[in-house]
């Protein structure tokens, strides 16, 4: 062995510090090392910090408190590549903490420095963690603005084509966040960023594909971006993506992108022309796509199995179908749901609805109604509802047996399914009698009526709409009425939801259309709920309720009942408001007044020739428009006062008369006196000594008195509980018979008017000279009648001395009984008059025929005289 030679080691210069190896166990010490001038120390400190903060969020917060962020921000701008790389790694990971991002947002140097890390000359690691930092920062709106202003999108788009998947992932995530801002959607197109994003769909990593689809979904919200996607064949790429069964967990996102794209008619046409819509339908319904006519012609005489080629090779390569003619792999329920939603969204455009209908999309949706998942059924039913806005689609759904599954879904246990199915049926039955009959044929009436009590308010509203749509046919309406729809509509009227209230009111208007149903609705207490809706603050509810009131007020009993419930008062109040008033409230008020002529004459002071006075009519005098109208029963129960008498028209005499206030008081006084006499007698008897036999007789007599008293009280209660019947007027009945016998047979209307006027004047005290009306004593006789009857209500036949308003009312009442058309109008100062339309007599052959002219009938001064309504004497007759 050779002899070892000792090396000569030169000693270190005296001014150089000897190397020192330090082990630090405190993060604060390492943070201080970031301030070292030695790049090697900085690099190792950054590396140690990266490992420390990568462990948990608490470590990120503690380093933030130690002031590491400001030091790292300086080091990511270092000229040393190793220091910059390690600092960038630590900085990017720390940005995941919200408190760190909050601190970074306050720094003006942060975003520019990070964007600088994305430059092409930097290392891939810097790109990765720089993009990571931007992806975290872009969660906040203010940071989005800063990145946008610092042109951060361009380097991010460039990094999408990087070979490192981590760089791609962080970059596409940052871009996806940036695309939440509408400005970024425009810039991404200008920087040609859509194609690189679309290319990421071919990535091997599902997270990158998912983020790319999220970015495309947000970018496709811009119409110009959708046009750009069409140019780069993005729609076909998405269809192919959905046709790849291995990527079924990402199909939902792809369908959402398509949903945005299909808003444009151009996109719909492109996907239709390329056959993509057929393939999409096949993927969603798990069925083979319908063959096009050209393919059918080419396959004549051959079999499907014989047509294999390149597509089959592709299928065998992947093991599963990609949407060609081979095996169809079922898609996930979520995909079906979003596909149906995409169809519904696209179908909001009328042109798209036509294109979708041409592609028979309704078949796909009908198939999805039978899916086992409720949310798929909901989406399919909602899409059918949207498609049903196309008139042809309504017929197609029926022809392809789509109504029956929708009716079955009305009985589903899931409220959302019932609501969506009812919405679809509501649109399908709108203006389509055949669909209405189809619903009935599949037993849809019972579940629809049951749905009026559904806890889901939307389902209640839709059910009311469907039933209203089916009420257009008389037979259908009768069937629905027989199954209890009248009672079922009352609860929805009491709902707090304005839509439910409005639709239920329209349902009432549709079904309460004859006397029997109005009686049923009135007895069930529906009028009270309906009247309350007139006071709603919602315009639509008020309109619908007004229309229902208009229908219900077609007969007098219902109109009177609504008046008692305050309906007339409410409508009067609405008429005084310029904001709440509308044409429906006008019609409702007119109809209520036409069915309650007493109220009409009292409030408006006019009855037209078509307003025929019937028994039960009364005239309480002119009322102000804001005054509550009281019923005849109220006036009958009122004690006698000094006010004007209420004139009553009633020719019925074969009914038991309602008790007047005097009779009720007399009964009560009799009952009271019997009790008093009994008690006083008992007191006297107690003071005297009596034998046992006398006491037994007196006890028996006392029992008989008590029994008689109880019987009297029962009779009194039964009298009070009897339905109110207006006081009879046999004299007025005699007038009617006399007029029908003498006036009715006359050959002309003019002769009838003249004789009837003379008849009325004769019964009311005869003619009165001009200027002597004030001296004509009529008030005292009427007051005497009031006190004799002990009532303010006076039958018209009892009045023997009447002036203008007495005679005009009697003339109108009698003229209506013999079909002589006339109007009744009230004036001021107790004036009232009748106007008739008469044709001038001219029987000469060939004489011209003129329209009838208006005449005022004189009932006071020259009974029977006819005055032209525009003449001076007619004006004088109407005024004091």
């Amino acid at each position: 062995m050779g002899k070892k030679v000792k090396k000569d080691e030169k000693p270190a210069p005296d001014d150089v510090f000897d190397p020192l190896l330090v082990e630090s166990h405190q993060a604060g010490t390492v943070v201080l090392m970031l301030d070292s001038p030695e790049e090697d120390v900085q690099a190792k400190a950054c590396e140690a910090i990266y490992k420390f903060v990568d462990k948990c969020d608490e470590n990120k917060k503690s380093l933030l408190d130690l002031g590491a962020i400001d030091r790292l921000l300086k080091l990511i701008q270092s000229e040393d590549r190793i220091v910059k790389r390690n600092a960038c790694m630590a900085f990017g990971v720390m940005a995941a903490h919200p408190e760190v991002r909050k601190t970074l947002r306050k720094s003006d140097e942060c975003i520019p420095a990070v964007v600088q890390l994305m430059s092409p000359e930097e290392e891939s690691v810097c790109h990765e963690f720089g993009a990571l930092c931007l992806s975290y920062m872009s969660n906040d709106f203010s940071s989005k603005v800063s990145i946008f202003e610092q042109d951060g999108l361009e380097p991010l788009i460039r990094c999408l084509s990087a070979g490192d998947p981590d760089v791609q992932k962080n970059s596409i995530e940052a871009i996806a966040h940036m695309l939440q801002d509408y400005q970024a959607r425009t810039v991404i197109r200008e920087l040609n960023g859509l194609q690189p994003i679309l290319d990421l769909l071919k990535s091997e990593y599902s997270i990158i594909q998912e983020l790319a689809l999220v970015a495309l979904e947000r970018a496709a919200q811009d119409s110009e971006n959708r046009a750009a996607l069409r140019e780069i064949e993005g729609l076909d790429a998405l269809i192919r993506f959905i046709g790849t069964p291995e990527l079924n967990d990402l199909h939902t996102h792809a369908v959402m992108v398509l949903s945005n794209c299909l808003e444009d008619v151009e996109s719909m046409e492109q996907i239709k022309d390329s056959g993509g819509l057929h393939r999409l339908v096949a993927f969603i319904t798990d069925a083979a796509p319908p063959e096009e006519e050209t393919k059918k012609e080419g396959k004549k005489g051959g079999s499907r199995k014989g047509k294999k080629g390149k597509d089959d090779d592709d299928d065998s390569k992947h093991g599963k179908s990609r949407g060609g003619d081979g095996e169809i792999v079922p898609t996930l329920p979520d995909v079906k749901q979003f596909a149906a939603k995409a169809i519904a969204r696209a179908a909001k455009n009328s042109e798209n609805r036509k294109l979708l209908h041409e592609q028979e999309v309704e078949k796909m949706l009908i198939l999805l109604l039978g899916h086992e998942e409720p949310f798929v059924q909901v989406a399919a039913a909602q899409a059918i509802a949207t498609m049903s806005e196309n008139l042809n689609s309504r017929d197609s759904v029926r022809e392809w047996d789509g109504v029956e599954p929708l009716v079955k879904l009305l009985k589903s246990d899931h409220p959302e399914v019932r609501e969506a199915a009812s919405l679809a049926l509501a649109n399908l039955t709108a203006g389509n009698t055949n669909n209405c009959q189809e619903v009935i044929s599949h037993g849809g009436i019972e579940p629809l009526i049951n749905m009026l009590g559904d806890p889901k308010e939307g389902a209640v509203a839709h059910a009311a709409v469907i039933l209203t749509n089916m009420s257009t046919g008389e037979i259908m309406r009768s069937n629905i009425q027989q199954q209890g729809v009248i009672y079922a509509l009352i609860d929805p009227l009491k709902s707090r939801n304005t839509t439910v209230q409005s639709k239920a009111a329209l349902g009432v208007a549709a079904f309460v259309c004859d006397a029997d149903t109005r009686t049923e609705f009135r007895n069930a207490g529906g009028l009270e709920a309906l009247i309350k809706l007139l006071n709603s603050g919602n315009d639509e509810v008020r309109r619908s309720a007004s229309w229902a009131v208009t229908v219900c007020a077609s007969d007098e009993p219902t109109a009177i009942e609504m008046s008692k419930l305050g309906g007339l008062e409410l409508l009067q109040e609405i008429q005084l408001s310029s904001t709440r008033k509308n044409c429906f409230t006008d019609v409702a008020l007119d109809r209520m007044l036409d069915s309650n002529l007493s109220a009409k004459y009292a409030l408006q002071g006019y009855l037209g020739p078509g307003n025929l006075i019937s028994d039960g009519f009364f005239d309480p005098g002119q009322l102000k428009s804001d005054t509550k109208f009281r019923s005849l029963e109220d006036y009958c129960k009122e004690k006698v006062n000094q006010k004007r008498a209420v004139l009553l028209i009633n020719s019925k005499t074969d009914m038991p008369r309602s008790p007047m206030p005097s009779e009720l008081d007399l009964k009560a006084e009799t009952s009271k006196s019997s009790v008093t006499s009994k008690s006083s007698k008992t007191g006297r008897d107690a003071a005297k000594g009596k034998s046992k036999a006398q006491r037994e007789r007196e006890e028996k007599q006392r029992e008989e008195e008590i029994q008689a008293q109880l019987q009297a009280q029962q009779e009194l209660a039964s009298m009070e509980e009897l339905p109110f019947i207006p006081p009879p007027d046999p004299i007025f009945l005699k007038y009617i018979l006399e007029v029908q016998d003498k006036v009715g047979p006359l050959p002309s209307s003019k002769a009838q008017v003249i004789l009837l006027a003379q008849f009325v004047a004769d019964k009311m005290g005869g003619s009165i000279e001009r200027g002597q009306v004030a001296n004509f004593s009529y008030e005292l006789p009427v007051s005497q009648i009031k006190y004799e009857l002990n009532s303010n209500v006076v039958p018209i036949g009892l009045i023997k001395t009447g002036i203008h308003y007495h005679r005009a009312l009697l003339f109108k009442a009698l003229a209506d009984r013999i079909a002589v058309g006339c109007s009744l109008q009230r004036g001021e100062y107790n004036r009232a008059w009748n106007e008739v339309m008469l044709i001038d007599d001219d029987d000469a052959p060939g004489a011209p025929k003129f329209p009838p002219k208006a005449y005022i009938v004189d009932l006071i001064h020259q009974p029977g005289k006819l005055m032209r309504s525009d003449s001076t004497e007619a004006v004088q007759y109407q005024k004091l």
Side-chain angles (χ1 to χ4, degrees), residues 446-511:
E446 182 179 355
L448 285 171
I449 292 178
N450 292 336
M451 281 184 68
L452 292 175
D454 197 285
K456 196 76 172 176
E457 293 177 335
V460 177
H462 299 152
V465 172
I466 300 169
L467 292 169
T468 304
N469 292 340
M470 294 193 298
S471 68
T472 54
E474 185 175 352
I475 297 177
M476 293 187 290
R477 183 172 64 248
S478 178
N479 290 338
I480 297 171
Q481 289 171 340
Q482 291 173 5
Q483 297 196 34
V485 70
I486 304 298
Y487 289 95
L489 283 169
I490 296 176
D491 283 340
L493 290 175
K494 302 175 183 177
S495 172
R496 295 184 178 180
N497 185 286
T498 55
T499 303
V500 174
Q501 292 173 345
S502 175
K503 304 305 180 186
L506 291 177
V508 170
F511 289 102

Side-chain angles (χ1 to χ4, degrees), residues 226-498:
R226 294 195 290 268
L229 283 173
R230 289 195 296 270
E231 294 176 0
I232 60 177
E233 299 181 353
L235 299 181
D236 290 338
L238 290 168
I239 294 294
R240 289 194 298 271
F241 188 89
I242 296 174
T244 306
E246 295 87 349
L247 304 174
N248 57 3
D249 55 335
L250 299 176
H251 287 170
T252 299
H253 296 286
V255 171
M256 292 173 69
V257 181
L258 274 178
S259 176
N260 288 342
C261 293
L262 294 180
E263 284 189 12
D264 296 336
V265 179
E266 295 82 5
S267 299
M268 184 64 70
E269 290 177 345
Q270 186 185 68
I271 195 174
K272 183 196 75 169
D273 295 340
S274 65
L277 190 57
H278 279 171
R279 296 200 300 274
L280 177 63
V281 170
F283 301 146
I284 302 307
T285 57
D286 306 333
E291 298 294 329
E292 298 179 0
E293 292 185 5
T294 54
K295 291 185 179 181
K296 286 182 179 179
E297 292 175 0
K299 289 168 62 177
K300 286 182 179 178
S303 65
R304 290 179 61 90
K305 293 183 179 180
K307 188 177 180 182
K308 288 190 177 182
K310 186 176 179 181
D311 290 342
D312 296 315
D313 295 338
D314 292 340
D315 293 342
S316 61
K317 186 187 298 183
H318 295 290
K320 292 184 180 181
S321 171
R322 287 184 176 269
D325 293 334
E327 180 186 359
I328 299 298
V329 178
T331 53
L332 295 176
D334 288 343
V335 181
K336 301 179 188 296
Q337 175 192 15
F338 282 98
K341 288 185 175 181
I343 296 297
R345 186 172 180 181
K348 291 180 179 179
N349 183 293
S350 59
E351 294 297 325
N352 282 348
R353 283 198 296 271
K354 293 179 181 178
L355 294 173
L356 290 169
H357 173 66
E358 292 173 0
Q359 300 299 308
E360 300 182 350
V361 170
E362 296 91 343
K363 284 185 177 180
M364 176 197 83
L365 299 173
I366 293 171
L367 287 175
L368 292 182
L369 290 176
H371 198 275
E372 59 185 5
E373 293 293 342
F375 56 83
V376 177
Q377 297 172 343
V378 170
Q382 290 174 343
I384 289 177
T386 308
M387 284 295 299
S388 297
E389 295 182 23
N390 183 296
L391 298 179
N392 294 327
S393 293
R394 298 176 191 176
D395 295 328
S396 298
V397 172
R398 182 186 70 255
E399 293 167 359
W400 292 325
D401 300 328
V403 174
E404 183 177 2
L406 286 170
V407 172
K408 290 181 179 178
L409 292 180
L410 295 177
K411 305 175 184 178
S412 172
D413 296 332
H414 301 275
E416 293 79 9
V417 175
R418 296 196 300 270
E419 182 178 10
S422 60
L423 174 61
L425 286 174
N427 289 353
L428 286 170
T429 55
N432 195 308
T433 307
N434 292 331
N435 283 349
C436 293
Q437 293 174 344
E438 188 79 3
V439 172
I440 294 177
S441 66
H442 291 296
I445 296 179
E446 182 179 355
L448 285 171
I449 292 178
N450 292 336
M451 281 184 68
L452 292 175
D454 197 285
K456 196 76 172 176
E457 293 177 335
V460 177
H462 299 152
V465 172
I466 300 169
L467 292 169
T468 304
N469 292 340
M470 294 193 298
S471 68
T472 54
E474 185 175 352
I475 297 177
M476 293 187 290
R477 183 172 64 248
S478 178
N479 290 338
I480 297 171
Q481 289 171 340
Q482 291 173 5
Q483 297 196 34
V485 70
I486 304 298
Y487 289 95
L489 283 169
I490 296 176
D491 283 340
L493 290 175
K494 302 175 183 177
S495 172
R496 295 184 178 180
N497 185 286
T498 55

Side-chain angles (χ1 to χ4, degrees), residues 33-54:
M33 292 171 63
L34 295 175
D35 294 329
S36 172
E38 297 183 52
E39 295 173 346
D40 186 47
V41 174
Q42 293 173 343
K44 291 182 178 179
C46 290
E47 184 179 2
I49 288 175
Y50 165 70
K51 294 178 180 179
F52 180 70
V53 298
D54 198 34

Side-chain angles (χ1 to χ4, degrees), residues 501-781:
Q501 292 173 345
S502 175
K503 304 305 180 186
L506 291 177
V508 170
F511 289 102
V512 186
C513 54
D514 55 65
D516 293 338
T517 53
R518 281 192 286 269
T519 302
E520 181 182 358
F521 186 67
R522 185 172 66 248
N523 295 337
L527 290 178
E528 184 176 0
L530 181 61
I531 293 300
K532 288 182 179 179
L533 296 185
L534 290 174
N535 207 25
S536 172
N538 184 278
D539 293 341
E540 187 64 29
V541 173
R542 204 161 52 250
R543 281 194 292 268
S544 301
S546 298
W547 180 243
V549 167
T550 302
V551 175
C552 291
S554 297
D555 59 0
E556 186 175 352
T558 307
I560 293 175
E561 182 66 22
M562 286 193 291
S563 297
K564 292 180 180 179
L565 294 172
L568 185 59
E569 186 178 0
L570 273 175
L571 288 171
Q572 290 175 256
E573 180 184 341
I574 291 173
Q575 292 303 97
L576 300 176
S577 171
S578 59
T579 56
R580 300 171 64 196
K581 177 183 177 182
N582 56 61
C583 58
F584 288 92
T585 57
D586 294 341
V587 173
L589 179 59
D590 291 341
R591 180 60 63 85
M592 280 197 67
L593 293 177
D594 286 340
S595 298
N596 190 351
L597 296 182
S598 301
K600 181 175 183 178
Y601 188 51
L603 295 170
Q604 296 183 351
Y606 177 80
L607 295 180
N611 299 135
L612 304 182
I613 293 179
S614 59
D615 292 330
F617 176 91
F618 63 98
D619 174 21
Q622 182 68 45
L623 300 179
K624 295 181 180 180
S625 58
D626 57 347
T627 304
K628 181 179 180 181
F629 181 77
R630 299 166 59 191
S631 65
L632 178 61
E633 184 177 0
D634 294 335
Y635 285 111
C636 287
K637 292 179 179 179
E638 191 178 46
K639 292 185 177 181
V640 179
N641 53 40
Q642 300 297 324
K643 295 181 180 179
R644 175 190 184 278
V646 177
L647 304 181
L648 173 64
I649 303 294
N650 186 28
S651 62
K652 295 180 179 179
T653 59
D654 55 346
M655 294 185 179
R657 185 171 60 86
S658 295
M660 289 293 187
S662 58
E663 297 177 0
L664 296 177
D665 293 343
L666 183 60
K667 287 281 185 181
E669 290 174 2
T670 304
S671 175
K672 184 177 179 181
S673 62
S674 66
V675 174
T676 304
S677 62
K678 179 182 71 68
S679 60
S680 61
K681 184 175 181 181
T682 303
R684 288 194 303 270
D685 291 345
K688 298 179 180 179
K690 298 177 181 177
S691 65
K692 183 177 180 181
Q694 287 178 330
R695 285 197 300 270
E696 289 177 355
R697 285 196 302 270
E698 288 174 359
E699 286 178 2
K700 185 177 180 180
Q701 183 180 0
R702 191 159 53 247
E703 289 176 0
E704 291 175 355
E705 290 177 355
I706 293 173
Q707 190 68 26
Q709 177 191 357
L710 293 175
Q711 186 176 357
Q713 290 178 349
Q714 290 175 358
E715 291 177 359
L716 177 63
S718 62
M719 284 187 76
E720 292 177 346
E721 292 174 0
L722 284 174
F724 173 76
I725 300 173
D729 189 357
I731 300 177
F732 177 66
L733 176 60
K734 182 180 177 182
Y735 289 170
I736 294 175
L737 298 176
E738 191 173 348
V739 166
Q740 289 175 344
D741 181 53
K742 296 180 179 179
V743 181
L746 293 179
S748 67
S749 297
K750 184 175 181 179
Q752 289 177 322
V753 169
I754 294 174
L755 185 57
L756 180 60
Q758 294 171 350
F759 177 86
V760 169
D762 181 60
K763 299 301 181 181
M764 287 285 181
S767 61
I768 306 173
E769 296 182 3
R770 295 186 184 276
Q772 297 300 315
V773 176
N775 300 326
F776 185 75
S777 178
Y778 71 94
E779 294 177 337
L780 182 59

